[in-house]
Amino acid sequence: MVKIAHISDTHLSHRRIRNVRDSWKERYRVSWIENDFSLAFQRALDAAIETKCDYLVHSGDLFDVPVKRNTTSPTEYARAIAISEIRRFLEATNFRVPIIIIDGNHGTYLYRNNSTLEFIKSAFPENIFIATNYDLKRAIVKKEPLKVEFEEINFYLFPYLEFKSIPKYEELYDTWISQCQEPEEGKMNVAVAHGMFKNYDLHERLFSFPYDYVALGHDHQQRKYAPNAWQAGSTEKYTFAERGQEKGILEVIIKKEKEIEVNPIKIVSQREMKQFEVELSSDMSALTVEEKIREIVVNYRRNFDGNTASRIKVKLKGKTSLSYWWTIEDRLAEIQKNVLTEEYNILEFRWDESELKKSIPQSLAKTPQMDQYLIEDPVKDFINYLKNLEIDDDIKFEQYAKLGPEIIKEVFSEGIISSKEEL
Ligand SMILES: [Mn+2]
């Protein structure tokens, strides 16, 4: 029997800049939200110690940054927490538990050949085994496996890869998995991967092999993907979409007769993350809307305390007119300014108007609307949209027709995410 503690998406060094109170837990050192993620990491490792596991697996996004083109490095505070917490884990387990960590889409300089996992590895070279995005690319090119082998168990590693971005990539990746990542007979075999089907960054091929367990990361909701595959979920709420989710880690027991047992272990955060819905109608004045929102925030009117302050989102629904909306937006900005002060126990205040329908005056409504297009085939739709605009200048038309699709491809290459917040 082998016991694995599976944790994921700890996003250390996660910071929010917009819509949050400019307040620090320790001035110029660590902000409150960043501290939440540090505490969650600490709790996750506490839970892992409790399981008395034989191996600790982290399935990606240990650090929140760098991400995509944002090459910001993790904060020094987050780096120190990572090292000191891992040391604490190793000491508590007498340096007997190997730690396996893979790169996600966060914490890695995707366009450079570096990962933040490298300094973690160099701090504990005997105990930590990593696989970076770069290691994966190299393994694919050299047609070599990417795995860590122990006497009784092999770990096959699948750091994050956007294999769908180029058809050739997908083919190469598929071939590589089939040829290099096959489980070994007579041993226990575990795959560790960062990706989810919804985003097309998790390869089906992984599920064609009889791995005893597939430790998944990237999906912040803890859940079972297949009888032998689980997403551990994030350790702290990252977006408001996660406000109702239970966070935690997984204890995975693999038995000789190839039967697995997966036990979720909860991690509880002290921070409240709450969403309020406000329904608007076309005849509702900005003043009425303001009053409705003031009725919500008044319940938080007490001295600010960073340990217990809430993260609040107001979701606006229904209808309004565009001219009302401009005033409402001004009011919202005013309310935000008011509540992110010492007088309210609010850490974050934001609003979301993505589901609010704003009607525009007839005079402005003559031209076709961009949002009626870009649905089926964004590039083709864009050309149709251009035609409908009846642009007289041929040169301009050609320029738009050339530039537009390039921009669309760039924007949509990341996939369309319904919420404005990103994972
Ligand atoms: Mn991720």
Side-chain angles (χ1 to χ4, degrees):
M1 183 196 98
V2 157
K3 193 185 277 184
I4 295 168
H6 174 196
I7 70 176
S8 198
D9 295 80
T10 44
H11 289 270
L12 284 171
S13 198
H14 177 61
R15 284 184 165 187
R16 294 260 161 186
I17 295 157
R18 297 185 59 202
N19 306 314
V20 293
R21 203 173 121 87
D22 181 23
S23 137
W24 299 79
K25 180 171 188 282
E26 287 178 50
R27 193 148 189 81
Y28 303 138
R29 183 169 164 81
V30 58
S31 67
W32 288 107
I33 291 174
E34 186 188 345
N35 188 58
D36 289 348
F37 284 79
S38 305
L39 287 176
F41 187 63
Q42 206 170 356
R43 288 176 186 132
L45 289 183
D46 277 339
I49 293 167
E50 283 277 302
T51 63
K52 300 199 163 42
C53 57
D54 305 300
Y55 300 90
L56 174 64
V57 167
H58 190 300
S59 46
D61 290 359
L62 176 72
F63 289 104
D64 192 46
V65 280
V67 59
K68 291 181 191 162
R69 285 180 183 82
N70 170 4
T71 53
T72 318
S73 297
T75 61
E76 293 311 320
Y77 184 84
R79 288 179 197 273
I81 287 285
I83 296 290
S84 62
E85 285 303 311
I86 289 171
R87 170 169 293 279
R88 194 174 62 86
F89 173 85
L90 290 170
E91 280 169 355
T93 53
N94 297 316
F95 291 86
R96 278 202 204 106
V97 177
I99 303 176
I100 296 117
I101 316 176
I102 61 162
D103 254 341
N105 52 321
H106 290 250
T108 180
Y109 303 85
L110 268 186
Y111 299 92
R112 300 173 189 184
N113 296 327
N114 294 296
S115 161
T116 51
L117 298 185
E118 288 173 58
F119 85 88
I120 299 276
K121 164 86 183 162
S122 63
F124 307 102
E126 311 282 311
N127 313 91
I128 294 191
F129 302 85
I130 63 166
T132 66
N133 305 120
Y134 181 51
D135 291 331
L136 176 61
K137 285 177 211 159
R138 200 165 34 193
I140 295 172
V141 169
K142 292 192 168 177
K143 299 187 171 65
E144 286 171 354
L146 189 56
K147 61 181 177 183
V148 190
E149 294 177 87
F150 298 95
E151 213 181 297
E152 59 200 342
I153 190 167
N154 287 356
F155 291 90
Y156 295 85
L157 310 176
F158 301 84
Y160 185 76
L161 178 71
E162 254 182 284
F163 58 84
K164 285 270 182 192
S165 55
I166 300 170
K168 186 84 192 155
Y169 269 26
E170 193 179 352
E171 210 185 298
L172 277 171
Y173 189 50
D174 191 1
T175 311
W176 174 76
I177 298 174
S178 325
Q179 292 176 355
C180 303
Q181 297 290 79
E182 198 183 338
E184 191 180 328
E185 259 182 67
K187 277 178 100 168
M188 283 181 255
N189 298 286
V190 169
V192 186
H194 194 84
M196 51 187 173
F197 289 130
K198 207 175 88 187
N199 289 6
Y200 308 108
D201 44 25
L202 181 59
H203 206 293
E204 298 267 0
R205 180 70 62 199
L206 240 89
F207 294 85
S208 66
F209 282 145
Y211 294 118
D212 295 290
Y213 181 62
V214 183
L216 296 168
H218 199 35
D219 189 338
H220 285 190
Q221 164 94 69
Q222 187 176 83
R223 60 179 126 196
K224 192 195 228 177
Y225 262 36
N228 68 332
W230 279 70
Q231 289 277 1
S234 60
T235 45
E236 174 59 280
K237 291 168 189 135
Y238 193 86
T239 67
F240 276 86
E242 296 169 45
R243 66 192 182 280
Q245 295 176 6
E246 266 186 3
K247 298 298 177 187
I249 74 159
L250 296 169
E251 176 193 63
V252 182
I253 301 163
I254 306 171
K255 292 167 195 161
K256 277 258 154 65
E257 60 270 24
K258 304 272 169 188
E259 216 178 79
I260 65 157
E261 185 187 321
V262 180
N263 304 313
I265 302 166
K266 254 193 272 179
I267 298 173
V268 182
S269 172
Q270 302 305 311
R271 179 87 52 214
E272 181 193 55
M273 210 169 184
K274 208 161 175 182
Q275 180 168 307
F276 295 92
E277 289 191 2
V278 175
E279 185 85 23
L280 274 65
S281 56
S282 347
D283 58 347
M284 198 183 281
S285 73
L287 188 67
T288 312
V289 178
E290 178 174 3
E291 278 168 3
K292 277 177 177 278
I293 296 165
R294 295 260 181 215
E295 271 169 35
I296 295 166
V297 296
V298 75
N299 297 310
Y300 293 87
R301 190 153 186 166
R302 56 186 167 274
N303 276 353
F304 177 80
D305 171 7
N307 291 301
T308 58
S310 295
R311 300 177 67 177
I312 290 173
K313 176 162 146 184
V314 175
K315 182 143 185 100
L316 301 161
K317 290 188 154 184
K319 286 185 241 170
T320 189
S321 72
L322 193 59
S323 51
Y324 271 173
W325 171 245
W326 290 327
T327 318
I328 294 167
E329 215 174 18
D330 280 347
R331 299 285 178 194
L332 281 161
E334 193 61 34
I335 294 170
Q336 184 185 62
K337 217 173 111 192
N338 289 161
V339 300
L340 297 181
T341 59
E342 205 53 45
E343 281 155 44
Y344 289 84
N345 202 22
I346 294 176
L347 182 61
E348 179 176 13
F349 180 86
R350 59 162 69 209
W351 60 90
D352 173 1
E353 91 256 17
S354 59
E355 280 176 38
L356 179 67
K357 225 173 135 41
K358 291 161 229 158
S359 55
I360 55 166
Q362 279 298 314
S363 59
L364 288 174
K366 280 175 195 157
T367 51
Q369 290 304 296
M370 191 75 175
D371 62 7
Q372 291 163 6
Y373 292 85
L374 309 180
I375 295 162
E376 301 276 325
D377 177 345
V379 174
K380 231 163 101 187
D381 287 349
F382 180 74
I383 304 292
N384 285 334
Y385 168 69
L386 280 183
K387 284 178 185 158
N388 270 299
L389 288 177
E390 291 169 4
I391 299 164
D392 296 331
D393 187 334
D394 283 352
I395 296 167
K396 247 188 192 160
F397 181 87
E398 251 171 61
Q399 281 174 341
Y400 292 160
K402 223 176 127 187
L403 199 61
E406 275 173 38
I407 296 167
I408 290 163
K409 272 187 195 151
E410 171 88 17
V411 171
F412 289 167
S413 69
E414 304 291 346
I416 304 164
I417 298 167
S418 59
S419 147
K420 277 184 182 168
E421 300 167 66
E422 288 179 355
L423 291 192

